[in-house]
């Protein structure tokens, strides 16, 4: 038994259970746990099992191109790396973007939040709580009644509608070809929904699939495509032309109307479907409040969605910023991403090498040098690992720490920071939810809390899209249609050496890109990504990361069916391509 | 130093005197005074100047294709500036290609000088010796150049690399680019489309073709300089030869 | 390739599985789902009559954007593809099961449908470090890829990653990320490049294969001609401005607001084969050029290393010197001109010294 500095007792003597691949996540991940005789998790090991080397590839390139490279770090949180990258470059070169560009970027970033949260909840997370096979047993009338009870204004709620979906599902299942549902854990007692709720949620799985492709059209309008819309150092690439020659091909009234209609769609779906589903499903799992991990003790956010262009002052950003440590919610610490003492990455348990691995490196001085090596207690061979040796290096994810603390980031972290710092909208949302569900504040610090915070955030972000849409329109009305600042477009106008940092709140949490520019080229580029924080392996002090912490002490119904592990891991919405990049 | 004097004559790029051929190989014995030989037949001369003009047009329009002139205003349908630039390039490209094909044909049916552009006696040690000699002449290490009916060996080597290879490269890459606009299935696509994946994609093809332009420009600079210089400093006529077809010699020395 | 008409039952029989074990499989399926015995004949009937083509979708080094794009498909809707057209039996991004059960699902499909399933590959295998830059089930991804490819009917390489290597294969390609066709050489491979490909192009390729029961016609590099035989530029609605000579000179300038051609700010439309300017993105809402940014050539091999996204001319790296064709050529030409000038000066000097030997008087015939 080992006690970690961040308060967990690790015991790796019990039965080792391996989940690899962890599915319904982005990218490649492995998880190993030790169970005690009661099938309770007593040791958790989370491993990032992919690395592409973007930080290495970026060296020597044109900083104005970096957004496109970093955008390809991830197609699920598409655009957020690009935004963070142009911010980093603008910070380094002292470029100020126009007000319209700020509004458009914010709308795009908020739109991503809404999209990503919806897709995560329905298509990556739902099957941890919802049993689609059980939905076959539902009475469509009962489902209809449930639907009307939880969401009276959702129009798709007739018994006939649910019967159609159920029939389709039945045909699918009776075909014997179960596709994505094959080998699911459908007889596991961990699933607790009655059939009518399962049918309702499964129906919304399909509805959300249709809807999500509409949501992203905002990216398409401003960025030309989704996934991977286009961005620009100095502003946004799309020009605004309301009634001049050629306005038909620019951001014009028709385009704005389309944006506006999608903003409505987002708000409506989140209000009528997503939140009611969360409350309905959550209601059946109220007693399953495991998976809190670090959420009650160490959470962090950088803040995002600046009200005014080029101003990243926490006080005027719509998403909160700050750090909470040692479980002291009365104190929200300021996070300074430029301070070499605050954010550092460690690699003693990661497949990288530093000259001196007893210290951490601030990203401006960060080093990315891969070094794959397995510890002496590994079971298996180099190319056929049976069980990892977590005392040695065991993950492609680095271990970022804030002032030495392993931190949780993400919607729940943002909501905890926001709640603790008195963010009015956030407080209001949280309080309403807890009242509706009849739960104490402490219930937030759980797997379910993470999932709930994500839904609340989707609602908040959907609403903020409207705010920035209105702001954009008002600004255009006032005669400002500028979208890009090209004063420092030409590299000859740059200083010979510069460094900058870009921050954002990606769907999965705090994201930062640190860049050094030398003679017009990238000298060093380091990304510290939400899932790098959450999925981090142990550090040199032995602190475990947020995934590992959250898995601790969770009882499993069946050791060989990892429903609970998936549930808790999924509540973070892991993105492994992001985490290792 | 005059090693060449002891060597038997080489086919074409040989010093003139030992063979003394003139006008398609008839006439002159050793030591006989030769003042004028008919070297470049009319088709070669016509080709030369048409080709020169085509290349001039191709280089100027090609450069503009890579770096277009400043935008003009107004209605798009009122203008076709870039279209004309590209059209001129493609038209000149066709002229260049057809001319080059004609020149190859003439290499078979014309006089033996007409073949010099396409044949390099690379296996001949002696020929390389002459290349070295010419190199020394251009580096001011030889006091007197030799006489040649056609190209001197160094010029022949340069012509082959810059013109024969250079133009072939420009034609192949040019028509491969042209195939893209002409679309899959067109003749250019069938004949040259394979070049695109071979070089690693369309963008790389553009770059190679563009670099080729500079190769040709470098040739032009050297070629025109050398032509004029040789006209002044060597022992035979140069510039006028490409106009009249006749090579005239400025002294009566045997070589 | 007439397997779309072959039923699951026929396939099993062909592989020597008896009717008895077939029925047993059906009851196991029903039991695994917690369904009563009454489902068994229904399942058996379905499998005897209307099989959906099984698809195994594996992931290597990637950003998963190709999957994201796929689920944006509007016609057909992706739910219809997955529920009614194919049987997506393995896809680690979306499947319910994980770990051992996921691996078992993969084995089961390979086993039962040998030679009859489509393998879709997103991302690519790294080959350095024995492949351990991408690990699945404790083993290098390249092993899973080879294993699943062995009995596949055909392979679809989704996106720039699988087709060409994409961003992780950009210089210096630290993991030696390698496109699928360089690892699997004995199967028909359909490359559907793009970073990512357009959703309807992806579903278009799959439905073509299901509808016509054959592979789409491919071009020289293995891309379906139906979507990749023309350049963005050939069908770009800004083309009249290109021909007129009307270009965006700087971001958000008058030309940008009027929708002039983006060639001078680096548009790679003239060198990029893709369907964006016709099919467009997200149900035809827009495409990169329509939203003001040039095409970055995302469906082309090695597009990350073909010069900056805002330059017309490609950066060329040779001997550590970097420049575009005009810089390199211009310097070379200037150097040659300098050498020529020097040479001319020396020549004139020499000529002055040795006047008699180079006398040219009266020898030109005009
Ligand atoms: C001496 C010969 C030639 C020279 C110096 C020359 C030069 C050039 C240059 C500099 C470019 C611009 C490349 C870029 O940066 O994108 C170009 C493009 C092109 N050239 Fe040539 N070229 C030559 C011969 C040809 C020939 C024989 C053809 C055949 C028709 C041809 C067809 C083209 C085409 C199709 C393009 C692309 C035009 C476009 O993208 O709009 N060229 N050429
Ligand atoms: C792009 C432009 C030019 C090209 C590609 C070019 C190419 C050639 C070629 C291929 C030959 C050899 C003919 C053969 O052996 O069939 C040649 C010879 C010649 N060129 Fe040019 N030429 C160009 C421009 C000029 C110009 C502007 C002049 C005049 C100053 C010139 C003067 C000559 C002369 C005098 C010869 C004959 C050389 C000799 O007698 O050996 N050329 N040129
Ligand atoms: N972790 C992560 Fe991302 C997000 N959200 C990036 O910044 O998903 Ni791919
Ligand atoms: S091709 Fe591009 S979009 Fe697709 S997975 Fe690779 S990086 Fe992502
Ligand atoms: S915008 Fe791009 S694709 Fe369109 S015409 Fe101009 S160069 Fe061609
Ligand atoms: S960047 Fe890609 S999305 Fe289309 S327009 Fe160009 S191919
Ligand atoms: Mg990093």
């Amino acid at each position: 038994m080992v006690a970690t500095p961040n308060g967990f007792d690790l015991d790796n003597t019990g039965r080792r259970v391996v989940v690899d691949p962890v599915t319904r996540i982005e990218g490649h991940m492995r998880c190993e746990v030790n169970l005690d005789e009661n099938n309770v998790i007593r040791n958790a090991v989370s491993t990032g099992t992919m690395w592409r080397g973007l930080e290495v590839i970026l060296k020597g390139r044109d900083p104005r191109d970096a957004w496109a490279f970093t955008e390809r770090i991830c197609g699920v949180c598409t655009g957020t790396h690009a935004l963070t990258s142009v911010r980093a470059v603008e910070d380094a070169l002292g470029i100020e973007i126009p007000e319209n560009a700020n509004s458009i970027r914010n709308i795009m970033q908020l739109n991503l939040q809404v999209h990503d949260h919806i897709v995560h909840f329905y298509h990556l997370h739902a099957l941890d709580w919802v049993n689609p096979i059980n939905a076959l047993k539902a009475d469509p009338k009962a489902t209809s009644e449930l639907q009307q009870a939880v969401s009276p204004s959702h129009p798709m709620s007739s018994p006939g509608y649910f019967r159609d979906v159920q029939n389709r599902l039945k045909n699918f299942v009776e075909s014997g070809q179960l596709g994505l549902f094959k080998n699911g854990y459908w007889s596991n007692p961990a699933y607790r929904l009655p059939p009518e709720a399962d049918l309702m949620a499964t129906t919304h799985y399909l509805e959300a699939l249709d809807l999500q492709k509409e949501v992203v059209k905002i990216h398409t309008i401003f960025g030309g495509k989704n996934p991977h819309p286009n961005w620009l150092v100095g502003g946004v690439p799309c020009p605004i032309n309301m009634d001049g020659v050629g306005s038909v091909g620019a951001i014009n009234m028709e385009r704005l109307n389309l944006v506006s209609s999608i903003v409505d769609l987002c708000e409506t779906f989140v209000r009528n479907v997503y939140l009611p589903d969360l409350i309905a499903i959550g209601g059946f799992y109220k007693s399953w409040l495991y998976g809190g991990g670090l959420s009650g003790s160490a959470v962090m956010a950088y803040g995002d969605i600046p009200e005014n262009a080029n101003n990243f002052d926490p006080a005027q950003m719509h998403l909160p910023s700050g750090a909470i440590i040692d479980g002291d919610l009365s104190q929200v610490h300021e996070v300074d991403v430029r301070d070499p003492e605050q954010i550092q990455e460690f690699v003693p348990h990661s497949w990288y090498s530093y000259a001196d691995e007893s210290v951490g490196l601030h990203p401006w001085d960060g080093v990315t040098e891969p070094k794959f090596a397995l510890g002496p207690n590994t079971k298996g061979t180099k190319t056929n690992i049976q069980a990892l040796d977590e005392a040695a290096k065991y993950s492609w994810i680095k271990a970022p720490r804030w002032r030495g603390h392993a931190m949780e980031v993400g919607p729940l972290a943002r909501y905890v920071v926001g709640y603790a710092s008195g963010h009015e909208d956030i407080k209001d949302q949280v309080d309403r939810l807890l009242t509706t569900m009849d739960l104490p504040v402490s219930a937030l610090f759980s797997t379910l809390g993470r999932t709930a915070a994500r839904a609340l955030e989707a609602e908040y972000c959907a609403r903020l899209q409207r705010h920035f849409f209105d702001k954009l329109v008002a600004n255009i009305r006032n005669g400002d249609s500028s979208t890009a600042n090209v004063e420092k477009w030409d590299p000859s106008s740059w200083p010979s050496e510069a460094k900058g940092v870009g921050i954002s709140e990606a769907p999965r949490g705090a994201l930062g890109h640190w860049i050094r520019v030398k003679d017009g080229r990238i000298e060093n580029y380091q990304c510290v990504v939400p899932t790098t924080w959450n999925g981090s392996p142990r550090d040199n002090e032995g602190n475990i990361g947020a995934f590992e912490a959250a898995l601790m002490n969770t009882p499993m119904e069946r050791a060989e069916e990892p429903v609970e592990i998936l549930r808790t891991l999924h509540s973070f919405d892991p993105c492994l391509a992001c985490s290792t990049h | 130093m005059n090693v060449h004097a002891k060597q038997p004559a080489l086919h074409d790029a040989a010093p003139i005197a030992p063979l003394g051929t003139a006008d398609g190989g008839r006439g002159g014995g050793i030591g006989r005074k030769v003042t004028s030989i008919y070297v470049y037949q009319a088709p070669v001369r016509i080709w030369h100047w048409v080709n020169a003009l085509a290349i001039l047009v191709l280089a100027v329009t090609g450069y503009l294709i890579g770096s277009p002139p400043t935008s003009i205003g107004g209605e798009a349908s009122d203008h076709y500036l870039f279209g004309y630039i590209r059209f001129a390039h493609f038209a000149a490209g066709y002229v260049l290609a057809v001319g080059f094909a004609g020149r190859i044909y003439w290499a078979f049916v014309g006089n033996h000088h007409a073949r010099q552009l396409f044949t390099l006696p690379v296996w001949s040690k002696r020929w390389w010796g002459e290349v070295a000699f010419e190199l020394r002449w251009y580096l001011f290490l030889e006091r007197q150049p030799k006489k040649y009916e056609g190209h001197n060996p160094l010029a022949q080597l340069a012509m082959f690399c810059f013109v024969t290879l250079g133009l072939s490269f420009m034609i192949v890459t040019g028509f491969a680019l042209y195939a893209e606009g002409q679309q899959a299935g067109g003749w250019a696509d069938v004949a040259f489309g394979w070049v695109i994946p071979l070089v690693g994609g369309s963008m790389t093809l553009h770059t190679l073709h563009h670099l080729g332009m500079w190769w040709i420009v470098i040739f032009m600079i050297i070629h025109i300089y050398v032509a004029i210089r040789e006209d002044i400093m060597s022992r035979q006529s140069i510039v006028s030869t490409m106009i009249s077809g006749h090579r005239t010699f400025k002294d009566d020395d045997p070589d | 390739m007439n397997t779309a008409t072959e039923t699951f039952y026929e396939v099993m029989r062909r592989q020597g599985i008896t009717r008895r074990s077939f029925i047993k499989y059906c009851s196991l399926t029903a039991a695994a789902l917690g369904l009563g015995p009454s489902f068994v004949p229904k399942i058996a009937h379905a499998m005897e009559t209307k099989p959906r083509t099984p698809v195994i979708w594996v992931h290597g080094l990637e950003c998963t954007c190709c999957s994201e794009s796929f689920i944006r498909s509007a016609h057909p809707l992706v739910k219809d593809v997955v529920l009614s057209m194919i049987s997506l039996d393995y896809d680690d991004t979306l499947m319910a099961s994980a770990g051992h059960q996921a691996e078992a699902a993969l084995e089961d499909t390979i086993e039962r449908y040998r030679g009859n399933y489509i393998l879709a590959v997103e991302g690519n295998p790294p080959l350095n470090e024995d492949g351990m830059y991408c690990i699945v089930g404790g083993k290098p991804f390249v092993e899973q890829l080879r294993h699943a490819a062995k009995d596949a009917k055909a392979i679809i390489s989704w996106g720039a990653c699988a087709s060409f290597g994409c961003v992780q294969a950009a210089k210096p390609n630290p993991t030696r990320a390698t496109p699928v066709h360089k690892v699997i050489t004995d199967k028909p491979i359909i490359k559907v490049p793009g970073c990512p490909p357009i959703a309807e192009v992806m579903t278009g390729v799959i439905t073509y294969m299901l509808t016509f029961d054959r592979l789409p016609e491919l071009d020289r590099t293995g891309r379906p001609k139906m979507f990749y035989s023309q350049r963005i530029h050939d069908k770009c609605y800004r083309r009249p401005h290109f021909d007129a000579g009307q270009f965006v000179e700087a971001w958000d300038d008058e030309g940008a607001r009027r929708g002039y051609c983006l060639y001078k700010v680096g548009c790679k439309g003239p060198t990029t084969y893709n369907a964006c300017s016709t099919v467009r993105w997200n149900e035809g809402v827009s495409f990169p050029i329509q939203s003001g940014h040039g095409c970055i050539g995302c469906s082309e091999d090695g597009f990350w290393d073909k010069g900056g996204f805002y330059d017309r001319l490609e950066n060329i790296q040779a001997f550590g010197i970097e420049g575009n064709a005009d810089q390199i050529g211009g310097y070379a030409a200037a150097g040659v001109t300098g050498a020529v000038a020097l040479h001319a000066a020396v020549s004139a000097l020499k000529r002055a010294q040795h006047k008699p030997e180079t006398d040219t008087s009266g020898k030109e015939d005009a």
Side-chain angles (χ1 to χ4, degrees), chain B residues 65 68 71-74 82-83 138 143 180 183 189 200 203-204 207 210 214 225 229 231-232 248 250, chain C residues 220 230 234 242-244 246-247 249 263-264 273 306 312 314 326 329 343-344 346-347 357 360 363-365:
Chain B
I65 290 171
S71 296
I72 45 177
F82 208 55
Y138 283 107
R143 288 197 48 209
E180 301 196 288
Q183 309 283 284
D189 176 59
M203 191 64 199
T204 306
T207 306
H210 202 116
W214 289 106
Y225 165 67
R229 178 184 186 273
D231 214 44
I232 298 167
T248 56
K250 301 168 186 171
Chain C
R220 284 189 189 88
Q230 285 180 313
D234 294 321
F242 174 86
D243 289 331
Q246 299 176 316
F247 303 103
E249 305 277 348
Y263 188 72
K264 276 178 133 178
Y273 289 80
K306 306 234 158 152
R312 247 310 296 163
E314 180 178 343
D326 274 348
H343 199 269
V346 178
S347 302
E357 278 173 56
T360 61
K363 288 285 163 68
E364 295 246 333
D365 59 344

Side-chain angles (χ1 to χ4, degrees), chain A residues 18-21 23-28 30 49-54 56-57 61 64-65 67-69 72-76 115 119 123-124 127 133 136-137 168 172-186 206 209-210 212-214 216-217 220-228 230-232 237-241 245-247 249-250 255 258 351 370 372 382-385 396 481-484 486 489 521 560-562 566 577, chain C residues 25 29 33-35 39 42-43 46-47 50-52 54 59-65 68-69 71-74 77-80 82-84 87-105 108-109 113 129-130 132-140 143 167-168 170-172 174-175 195-196 237-238 250-252 256-258 281-283 285-288 290-294 296 298 304-305 308-310 315 322:
Chain A
V18 178
V19 186
D20 184 0
T23 54
R24 276 182 284 127
I25 58 165
E26 193 292 334
H28 300 279
R30 176 184 180 96
T49 46
M50 64 186 289
W51 182 74
R52 289 167 297 161
L54 268 290
V56 177
I57 289 163
R61 299 196 183 253
R64 294 169 302 177
D65 290 348
W67 68 260
F69 285 80
R72 270 70 182 182
I73 286 175
C74 182
V76 177
H115 178 271
V119 170
H123 307 120
L124 302 180
L127 295 178
I133 306 300
L136 296 180
K137 300 191 188 120
R168 185 155 196 199
F172 179 78
V173 170
E174 286 174 357
S175 76
Q177 289 180 284
L178 283 190
L180 296 169
F181 299 153
K182 189 165 169 173
N183 281 8
Y185 311 105
W186 311 128
L206 299 176
L209 205 49
D210 289 347
Q212 55 85 28
K213 75 179 204 311
E214 305 298 319
V216 301
K217 286 178 180 169
T220 318
I221 292 164
F222 293 125
K225 71 199 250 259
N226 174 285
H228 294 339
N230 292 305
W231 300 73
L232 188 74
C238 54
I240 296 170
N241 185 349
V245 176
S247 63
R255 299 274 98 175
L258 186 46
W351 285 316
F372 185 81
K382 175 178 180 186
T383 55
N384 187 0
I385 301 167
W396 281 116
S481 55
S482 143
T483 55
V486 294
W489 179 253
R521 299 268 143 185
E560 62 285 357
E561 295 191 353
L566 292 175
Chain C
Y25 168 75
T29 304
L33 300 173
L35 302 171
F39 278 81
K42 285 180 185 162
I43 290 175
M47 300 199 98
K50 38 176 187 186
R52 302 195 311 282
H59 300 255
L61 290 184
E62 52 151 3
C63 81
T64 313
C65 197
E68 283 283 347
S69 188
I71 66 170
R72 311 280 193 270
S73 179
L77 286 168
V78 71
K79 69 173 181 209
D80 294 336
V82 171
L83 289 179
S84 309
S87 182
L88 191 50
D89 288 355
Y90 182 92
D91 179 349
D92 26 329
T93 308
L94 292 169
M95 67 198 297
S97 63
H100 303 299
Q101 293 82 5
E103 295 193 307
D108 186 63
T109 299
Y113 298 91
E129 202 61 81
D130 296 332
M132 296 303 272
Y133 285 114
C134 186
I135 310 167
V136 181
K139 298 177 192 163
E143 272 186 32
V167 70
Q168 57 269 19
K171 282 173 193 145
T175 63
C195 189
Y237 76 108
R238 297 195 184 204
W251 301 108
D252 200 24
R257 292 179 185 195
R258 289 184 172 212
W281 281 82
N282 310 100
E283 269 184 290
V285 166
S286 187
F287 74 109
Q290 188 178 342
S291 292
H293 197 285
I296 65 171
C298 79
W304 299 103
D305 291 316
F309 295 130
Y310 304 102
N315 275 328
E322 204 183 321

Side-chain angles (χ1 to χ4, degrees), chain C residues 3 39 44 54 70 72 94 117 120 123-124 128 161 199 206 218 223 234 245-246 248 263 276 291 299 311 327 356:
Chain C
T3 47
F39 278 81
F70 186 74
R72 311 280 193 270
L94 292 169
Y117 61 86
N124 54 30
N128 277 351
C161 285
I206 288 203
L218 305 179
R223 303 171 293 195
D234 294 321
Q246 299 176 316
V248 174
Y263 188 72
C276 309
S291 292
S299 55
D311 297 322
Q327 283 162 355

